[in-house]
């Protein structure tokens, strides 16, 4: 599975690095003297910035939820609207802008056989079908853990469907990137400037295969544990939902107390991580 992942860094990481480079040149500061804060649609991205996989280092220094800054940004935009249409469009001209929604990535890959997927449970079903050989000839799977893509993240402020419609409208009206920009992207892509810095490693999910009796007993245990969780599906424990956390705890892969709402220690630990922001 890991061998099939495309080794391109996340757009937020590339943006963080590019902004630090630009302001470092413009302001004469070292990149490590510049802080880059990501405005995030979900906590999972915050965790990936503060505790990146494979012990890599993020180019970003922290994150704030969209809902935390939305009203302030809207107020400032209304107070200081764009001077003209060119400036307004320049604010939404990023070529990676469509990546927050399903079907945003595949146009960049010129693939014919692709599937855009959203929502972890649907993604897992499709992975199973690929593994069983039910689905074949797929060149590219575009997977978003949140249902509806990043526009459906739990720190966003808008109804998923309204956000999706607005997103499509902005995508349709955004200007095409200039030929110079395209040329620079092609040059850097060739020199692997956008590649992941470390290599991704597979993570074992089960120590041994369970028989039917063990699976039923584990499911019952997970159902019991789920009753004691707050069902907020906030993702702060590291699992995408409370059910997943209960299943991990029943399987011994996590402690039930990793739920931040059950454990004082976990709150203290997260506070220490967040203090870096
Ligand atoms: S188990 Fe707790 S921390 Fe994990 S998703 Fe549910 S409410 Fe959030």
């Amino acid at each position: 599975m890991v061998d099939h992942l495309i080794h391109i860094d996340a757009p937020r990481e590339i943006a963080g690095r590019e902004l630090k480079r630009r302001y470092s040149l413009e302001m004469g500061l070292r990149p490590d003297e510049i802080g880059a804060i990501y405005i995030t649609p979900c906590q999972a991205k915050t965790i990936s910035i503060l505790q990146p996989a494979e012990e890599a280092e993020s180019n970003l220094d922290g994150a704030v939820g969209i809902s935390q800054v939305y009203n302030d940004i809207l107020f400032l935009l209304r107070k200081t609207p764009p001077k003209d249409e060119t400036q307004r469009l320049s604010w939404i001209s990023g070529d990676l802008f469509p990546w927050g929604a399903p079907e945003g990535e595949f146009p960049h890959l010129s693939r014919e056989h692709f599937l855009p997927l959203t929502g972890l449970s649907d993604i897992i079903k499709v992975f199973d079908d690929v593994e069983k050989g039910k689905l074949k000839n797929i060149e590219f799977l575009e997977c978003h853990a949140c249902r509806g893509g990043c526009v459906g993240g739990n720190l966003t402020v808008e109804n998923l469907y309204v956000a999706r419609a607005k997103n499509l409208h902005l995508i349709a009206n955004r200007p095409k990137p200039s030929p110079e920009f395209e040329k620079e992207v092609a040059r850097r892509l060739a020199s692997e400037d956008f590649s992941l810095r470390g290599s991704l490693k597979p993570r074992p999910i089960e120590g041994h295969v369970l028989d039917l009796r063990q699976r039923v007993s584990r499911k019952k245990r997970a159902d019991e544990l789920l009753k004691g969780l707050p069902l907020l599906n906030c993702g702060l424990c590291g699992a995408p939902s409370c059910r997943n956390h209960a299943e991990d705890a029943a399987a011994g892969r996590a402690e039930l107390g990793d739920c931040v709402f059950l454990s004082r220690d976990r709150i203290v630990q997260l506070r220490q991580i967040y203090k870096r922001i």
Side-chain angles (χ1 to χ4, degrees), residues 2-3 20-21 29 71 82 101-102 110 130 138 140 173 177 183 202 204-205 208 257 262:
V2 166
D3 295 339
K20 284 187 178 179
R21 271 185 194 162
L29 296 168
N71 283 336
S110 320
V130 171
I138 294 175
F140 181 60
N173 290 304
K183 222 165 123 187
I205 52 169
H208 62 284
L262 298 187

Side-chain angles (χ1 to χ4, degrees), residues 229-237 239 241-242 245 258-261:
L229 292 175
L231 305 182
L232 292 172
N233 298 327
C234 67
L236 283 173
C237 55
S241 69
C242 296
H245 182 53
D258 287 346
C259 168
V260 294
F261 299 98

Side-chain angles (χ1 to χ4, degrees), residues 67-87:
S67 54
Q68 278 176 278
V69 291
Y70 179 80
N71 283 336
D72 291 335
I73 291 178
L74 201 62
F75 174 74
L76 287 172
L77 281 175
R78 285 188 178 147
K79 211 167 120 192
T80 326
K83 282 198 282 278
D84 49 33
E85 189 61 2
T86 314
Q87 190 182 44

Side-chain angles (χ1 to χ4, degrees), residues 34-134:
I34 300 167
I37 305 297
Y38 181 67
I39 301 176
T40 183
C42 69
Q43 293 92 342
K45 288 187 167 60
T46 310
I47 298 291
S48 86
I49 289 167
L50 299 173
Q51 292 183 329
E54 321 303 352
E55 292 166 12
E57 266 205 32
S58 173
N59 293 316
L60 298 156
D61 302 280
V64 290
I66 289 175
S67 54
Q68 278 176 278
V69 291
Y70 179 80
N71 283 336
D72 291 335
I73 291 178
L74 201 62
F75 174 74
L76 287 172
L77 281 175
R78 285 188 178 147
K79 211 167 120 192
T80 326
K83 282 198 282 278
D84 49 33
E85 189 61 2
T86 314
Q87 190 182 44
R88 191 186 76 81
L89 288 173
S90 76
W91 292 353
I92 56 162
S93 65
D95 202 29
L96 300 180
F97 183 72
W99 281 35
E103 301 169 36
E105 294 171 30
F106 88 95
H108 292 89
L109 291 158
S110 320
R111 294 283 193 262
E112 280 181 24
H113 304 287
F114 87 101
L115 269 186
L117 307 171
T118 75
L120 272 183
S121 53
D122 285 352
I123 292 171
I124 290 168
K125 270 187 218 149
V126 170
F127 280 2
D128 282 345
D129 286 348
V130 171
E131 204 167 47
K132 287 175 192 153
K134 281 195 201 167

